[in-house]
Amino acid sequence: MSRRDAVWEITEPDLAPIALGAAVLGTGGGGNPYLGRLRVLQVMRNGGRVRVIEPDEIADDDLLVAVGGMGSPMVSNEKLAGGDEETVAARALESHLGRKFDAIAPFEMGGSNSMVPMVVAAAMDIPIVNGDGMGRAFPELQMITYLIYGGSPYPAAIADERGSQVVIAEVPDAKWLERIARAATVEMGAHTGLASAVMDGAYCRRSIIPNTLRLASDIGHAVHHAREVKDDPSEAILGVAGGKRYLRGKVTDVHRRNAAGFARGQMTVAGIGNDAGRTIRIDFQNENLAIYEDDEPKVMVPDLITLVTTDTGEPITTELLRFGVRADVLVLPAPDLLRTPEALDVVGPHSFGIDADYVPAV
């Protein structure tokens, strides 16, 4: 079997489990998984194929690009995508570089952003790699492993639903890429398609967090099975992903605002059942960042904090948080590539203004 034949082809029945599992891993961010799934369905029904290759099937000299949506989840839920923003951005980079890409590397595992790379891969008729640059979702560009471990932050490109394109030819570092791309995204309506982190196959294999598409699929299938047999869906998630249930409770308060292209805020969750009498606060910036109990940070990035409904295990993204929702607060372990000193300098608690050193909660 040749390298390009050794693929997993994603079909329509695969999409719902992947979207659900990716939204669990997305820690409240990454966009609306339902809207992302609709985009993939459309490209599939127009004849597009989504082929997945493993990291070890990438050739050293293959050229890859990471793609995803950029902006506030609150905006993307209301301002529907045109559908080809990320593809337009990737093709703008191909034009800039004078070379075609050989494969797509996902930015993150989040709701919609787990689906977007499939759209681009199908539209460009190239495979997508089974892995991503976060193993979860994070709010800023410099927080992807492709850039944390030495990849180039330029060139990059963004595009909006009107066809506007911006190619960023050079920046001093990844933080400047985030600032410039974020400012342009705000001016373009607070949601754009992004293509960045151009890399060769050898570097992709070293810096990607592997097998996250399969993990998302496995989580989604486990939840669907738990629903069918009336098992606890949260336990099904933990059985696949590891981790623990921190609290079962009810959302009693949500403060959320759209600021500088991010959905920022905090929620309060009051314990119910065996957790009655406990109250926690969860701070978020697109994604859930930290759990506070008794005014102390108990769980913090890069560990994954995700909320799912107690009855169905449906992930609750930060833009859909509402008073009265009954949710299990789950804590899943961060991938090893996010726990190194290099990574913690970029995605650890201090990067988000949390006054605590990272201590793994699971």
Side-chain angles (χ1 to χ4, degrees):
M1 183 179 288
S2 71
R3 175 173 55 87
R4 286 293 183 240
D5 289 334
V7 297
W8 161 33
E9 182 163 344
I10 293 176
T11 60
E12 288 192 20
D14 297 318
L15 293 178
I18 292 173
L20 192 158
V24 168
L25 296 173
T27 63
N32 187 300
Y34 175 71
L35 297 178
R37 181 156 58 94
L38 290 182
R39 292 179 63 184
V40 185
L41 281 172
Q42 181 179 32
V43 75
M44 282 183 170
R45 291 173 181 178
N46 288 335
R49 297 173 59 203
V50 179
R51 295 166 295 141
V52 182
I53 59 174
E54 301 298 330
D56 61 7
E57 294 167 342
I58 307 169
D60 286 355
D61 59 353
D62 277 348
L63 190 67
L64 295 93
V65 65
V67 298
M70 184 175 193
S72 168
M74 293 168 62
V75 172
S76 64
N77 218 34
E78 298 178 2
K79 175 191 171 189
L80 296 181
D84 64 349
E85 291 89 335
E86 293 82 9
T87 304
V88 170
R91 286 182 168 146
L93 279 190
E94 285 186 330
S95 178
H96 177 78
L97 294 167
R99 180 179 168 183
K100 298 289 187 182
F101 292 116
D102 297 297
I104 297 295
F107 262 116
E108 63 184 7
M109 275 298 111
S112 180
N113 263 352
S114 65
M115 302 280 108
V116 164
M118 300 182 198
V119 175
V120 179
M124 300 178 74
D125 194 27
I126 55 178
I128 179 177
V129 184
N130 179 17
D132 73 285
M134 295 181 178
R136 48 163 297 153
F138 277 123
E140 299 184 18
L141 292 179
Q142 73 272 16
M143 296 173 177
I144 56 175
T145 53
Y146 313 133
L147 299 182
I148 288 172
Y149 289 101
S152 175
Y154 62 86
I158 59 174
D160 67 12
E161 77 283 358
R162 294 178 295 272
S164 303
Q165 304 170 34
V166 176
V167 174
I168 302 169
E170 190 168 342
V171 288
D173 55 36
K175 286 188 177 181
W176 269 104
L177 171 63
E178 161 66 29
R179 292 176 65 178
I180 293 169
R182 185 74 53 180
T185 292
V186 169
E187 290 301 317
M188 295 164 88
H191 185 75
T192 58
L194 170 73
S196 182
V198 176
M199 63 193 124
D200 63 27
Y203 180 73
C204 181
R205 287 198 306 274
R206 293 196 302 272
S207 60
I208 196 169
I209 298 171
N211 202 46
T212 50
L213 271 175
R214 285 284 189 188
L215 176 60
S217 177
D218 290 346
I219 291 171
H221 280 294
V223 171
H224 287 171
H225 178 71
R227 292 172 181 173
E228 290 171 3
V229 300
K230 311 299 184 188
D231 279 348
D232 185 334
S234 292
E235 290 298 329
I237 292 169
L238 299 175
V240 173
K244 66 182 180 181
R245 177 163 32 204
Y246 188 88
L247 180 106
R248 171 166 283 182
K250 181 177 74 172
V251 177
T252 58
D253 198 13
V254 180
H255 293 276
R256 180 174 45 218
R257 67 191 188 280
N258 198 42
F262 298 108
R264 297 178 183 268
Q266 58 185 226
M267 72 187 91
T268 304
V269 185
I272 59 176
N274 292 337
D275 291 315
R278 296 174 60 195
T279 301
I280 65 172
R281 186 186 91 223
I282 302 175
D283 291 357
F284 59 85
Q285 179 185 335
N286 289 6
E287 287 77 36
N288 301 318
L289 302 178
I291 297 173
Y292 290 82
E293 188 169 7
D294 300 325
D295 293 324
E296 295 290 332
K298 301 295 187 180
V299 184
M300 61 203 83
V301 286
D303 285 349
L304 284 65
I305 302 166
T306 192
L307 274 69
V308 300
T309 56
T310 57
D311 53 349
T312 66
E314 193 67 29
I316 306 168
T317 52
T318 53
E319 76 273 14
L320 297 180
L321 280 169
R322 297 291 184 271
F323 172 83
V325 171
R326 293 176 180 266
D328 283 347
V329 180
L330 306 182
V331 178
L332 311 181
D336 289 343
L337 278 177
L338 297 183
R339 295 187 179 201
T340 67
E342 302 100 307
L344 290 175
D345 280 345
V346 182
V347 301
H350 296 289
S351 301
F352 295 94
I354 300 168
D355 188 19
D357 294 330
Y358 172 66
V359 177
V362 287

